Amino acid sequence: FHSGRERVIFAAMKEPFDHPLIGEITINRSPKARRLSLSVRASGVTLTMPLRFPLPEALAFAESKAEWIQRAKSRARERVTPPVVVLPPFRTRLHVLEMAGCPNTQIKLQVRNGVIRVSYPANLAPQSPQVQEAVRKGVTEAYRIEARELLPPRVSELARRFGFPYDALSFRNAVSRWGSCSGTNGLSLSIHLMTLQDHLIDYIVLHELCQTVQKNHGPKFHALLDRVT
């Protein structure tokens, strides 16, 4: 990169960078990053780098991966599908969905006592985007309630059985990862674990508990995970 272009790049580092081969790249300088990494989703490409890493070198790295990025973009676009329409009969682990047209002028959502109740104006179809958005919010809240009720005792039991220490336990509406373990052994689990079978939930919980002892995904971590599973 010559100096003139380099100045333009650094001026734009807090904004998406338009690369001539790759297209738009979001530049993410992270204090946690120890190396360069690329993330490709249907929404775009993210280039993550350590705080003090030279941006021209990082963009050169991304350019060297241009063919792989284009293939990954194509796969990501193929995976994008319209939201699934959710209608009764629909159940989560502890909740059932109820929907009804009513004389109200607004859509109303209530999640209580094991029921996800969506009431909508009679002039709207239950499949309409507005009603389905309320349904999705209700199902998400049901997953949150169920995660908080069902997962803490299971995490505690598995930690006790295998002798893993952990600190706090929190839950997030995360859709890109099932769980994480902090440097202080705090566990964070996705509420969408409630969509999985019990043995898969146990596997993910044990994966995070193993990280309280082995902080990376090296051979020792996988050996430990193999022993407890």
Side-chain angles (χ1 to χ4, degrees):
F1 298 90
H2 60 72
S3 59
R5 185 176 178 189
E6 182 174 322
R7 284 196 295 271
V8 173
I9 291 171
F10 275 96
M13 60 183 290
K14 292 185 179 180
E15 301 292 336
F17 176 75
D18 190 13
H19 192 281
L21 293 178
I22 300 170
E24 189 174 280
I25 305 175
T26 299
I27 306 299
N28 176 31
R29 288 190 179 273
S30 170
K32 296 182 179 180
R34 296 293 178 265
R35 58 184 177 83
L36 297 176
S37 64
L38 284 164
S39 173
V40 182
R41 302 181 185 278
S43 56
V45 179
T46 299
L47 173 60
T48 300
M49 69 184 76
L51 287 176
R52 298 184 182 279
F53 197 93
L55 186 58
E57 292 183 27
L59 289 171
F61 165 76
E63 187 169 326
S64 72
K65 304 292 185 182
E67 291 187 8
W68 173 83
I69 290 172
Q70 295 302 339
R71 291 196 300 270
K73 276 185 173 181
S74 297
R75 291 194 297 269
R77 285 192 291 266
E78 290 171 0
R79 289 195 296 266
V80 175
T81 57
V84 175
V85 173
V86 179
L87 299 171
F90 175 84
R91 286 183 172 273
T92 65
R93 285 175 176 251
L94 303 177
H95 291 77
V96 61
L97 174 65
E98 293 182 358
M99 301 177 67
C102 61
N104 297 338
T105 58
Q106 295 182 333
I107 298 172
K108 293 186 177 182
L109 167 66
Q110 186 180 67
V111 183
R112 190 171 65 184
N113 298 330
V115 177
I116 306 165
R117 183 171 289 106
V118 179
S119 303
Y120 53 91
N123 64 325
L124 289 178
Q127 300 93 335
S128 66
Q130 307 97 305
V131 176
Q132 284 297 304
E133 177 63 22
V135 171
R136 283 190 286 274
K137 287 181 179 179
V139 171
T140 298
E141 181 58 24
Y143 290 153
R144 192 185 311 277
I145 293 169
E146 293 171 13
R148 288 173 174 171
E149 179 177 344
L150 300 176
L151 291 180
R154 188 57 180 162
V155 173
S156 178
E157 163 62 18
L158 291 172
R160 183 198 60 77
R161 183 188 305 175
F162 295 105
F164 289 117
Y166 73 95
D167 187 17
L169 176 61
S170 61
F171 302 98
R172 296 181 182 180
N173 182 23
V175 295
S176 61
R177 59 182 357 186
W178 292 115
S180 63
C181 176
S182 73
T184 57
N185 293 341
L187 303 185
S188 176
L189 298 175
S190 169
I191 62 175
H192 297 280
L193 285 174
M194 294 295 94
T195 65
L196 302 181
Q197 298 177 31
D198 288 349
H199 70 282
L200 297 177
I201 294 175
D202 282 356
Y203 181 85
I204 292 165
V205 170
L206 285 169
H207 177 110
E208 301 308 333
L209 286 172
C210 285
Q211 293 226 279
T212 64
V213 177
Q214 297 293 335
K215 294 299 185 181
N216 56 50
H217 292 101
K220 290 183 179 179
F221 166 83
H222 287 289
L224 176 60
L225 184 58
D226 285 345
R227 286 200 299 272
V228 299
T229 56

